[in-house]
Amino acid sequence: MSNTGYALTGFISWALLLLVFMESIRAYLVVTGDVAANGFTPDNSGLSPFMQRLARAHANCVEGLPIFGGLLAIAIMTSRTAITDPLAPWFLAARIVQSIIHLLSSSPIAVSLRFTAFAVQLAIGVYWSWKMLA
């Protein structure tokens, strides 16, 4: 599998891991009686700040998948992974770093670092788009 294939699989797997983590915690909260089974909101409002950040980190992955995952998928489907392969591992690393920072803190420095990781993904995505359209 090419770097592109690994990055796409990694991106999807990372989003899935965040979802499994969130739902495991939610299941625990239901089993312990801390939250009713129908007491959750999509953004985890009413739960801990960590749970709210976890919901947002997962949502960020889901929101980015059509754009960034789409570019990776197009490269695979059109046999143009030579364009995406060199930066695909960096893209995936930036995505994971963004999520981890999101989970750890919402301090001003953390938000700036998280945005930097997102800006790396944006720059890579713009580059890939430009190269594939050229």
Side-chain angles (χ1 to χ4, degrees), residues 25-41 45-47:
I25 295 170
R26 285 178 168 190
Y28 172 80
L29 293 172
V30 170
V31 168
T32 60
D34 292 334
V35 179
N38 64 348
F40 298 101
T41 59
S45 61
L47 298 179

Side-chain angles (χ1 to χ4, degrees), residues 64-115:
L65 187 58
I67 297 166
F68 301 114
L71 288 168
L72 292 167
I74 289 167
I76 292 167
M77 290 184 287
T78 61
S79 299
R80 299 182 78 195
T81 57
I83 292 170
T84 52
D85 272 353
L87 294 175
W90 293 102
F91 167 80
L92 181 59
R95 167 52 61 182
I96 292 171
V97 165
Q98 178 190 356
S99 297
I100 290 171
I101 293 169
H102 208 151
L103 294 176
L104 295 176
S105 177
S106 59
S107 71
I109 188 74
V111 171
S112 294
L113 291 171
R114 192 174 79 218
F115 177 76

